[in-house]
Structures are given as C-alpha cells and as structure tokens.
Amino acid sequence: MGPLWPPSRFWQYWSLAGMVVLTAAFWWGVEGYTLFEEATTRGAIADGLLRFSLLILTPALVIAWLAAAWLRRRVGENGYWQMLGLVAMIWAGSVLVTRMLVA
C-alpha cells in the first residue's frame, strides 16, 4: 500500500482557506483599483491606506499563501497558521478601514 496523501489535514485546510483568501485578494484588487480610479475626493489617510493595501498588503498576503509548503517546514504547521492569520487580519483590517473611510 502506498503512502497516504495528503500526509496531513494541512493541505485540505490550506486549499479550502486558500480559495477564500485568493478570491478575497482578487476581489479587493478589482474593487480597490476601481476606488483608486474614481475621481472622488478622499482624505490623505484613506488614499494612502488604499494604496498601501493594494500595492503592499494584497501581494504580501498572496505571496505568503503561495509559499505555504516552504514556510510550513521552517516554522511548523501551527507557526505557519499563526503567521498567515496575522497577515490576513492585517489585510482584512486595512480593507475594512479603507472601505469605511472611502464610503
């Protein structure tokens, strides 16, 4: 009998949560770009947060997610989920605050 695949539930959780994270990142990329291109007046804080979340946080979230196998071996499964959760919470907070400031 061959080895069981996947070797842990990590990959099952990672793939399910990955669909949500990558869909959210794509949504914010489109939604944020639309907000960025609108000719409405916004405050400097809202504009800076919008740019920061689009240019820095969204790619960071996607890169951290895609580097799961490499990160998992170095920080362990629990450490990986804690790190990814922290990045996702920072990203989600930035998106929510930006939406509140712009709307």
Side-chain angles (χ1 to χ4, degrees):
M1 181 186 235
L4 297 176
W5 182 257
S8 70
R9 293 201 180 264
F10 171 83
W11 296 108
Q12 294 170 354
Y13 295 136
W14 184 77
S15 64
L16 289 174
M19 288 186 279
V20 173
V21 168
L22 296 175
T23 301
F26 176 76
W27 168 82
W28 181 242
V30 173
E31 177 76 14
Y33 183 74
T34 302
L35 289 172
F36 184 74
E37 289 295 318
E38 288 179 354
T40 60
T41 57
R42 292 184 291 270
I45 294 174
D47 193 41
L49 191 57
L50 176 62
R51 289 176 190 223
F52 179 71
S53 68
L54 284 173
L55 298 175
I56 304 297
L57 289 180
T58 301
L61 178 68
V62 172
I63 289 169
W65 198 263
L66 294 177
W70 184 79
L71 293 171
R72 180 178 171 226
R73 289 185 181 155
R74 280 146 180 83
V75 298
E77 196 165 319
N78 289 333
Y80 169 74
W81 286 111
Q82 290 172 356
M83 184 182 62
L84 189 63
L86 180 64
V87 172
M89 286 188 291
I90 291 169
W91 179 81
S94 172
V95 170
L96 289 174
V97 169
T98 302
R99 293 292 297 158
M100 290 186 328
L101 291 173
V102 170

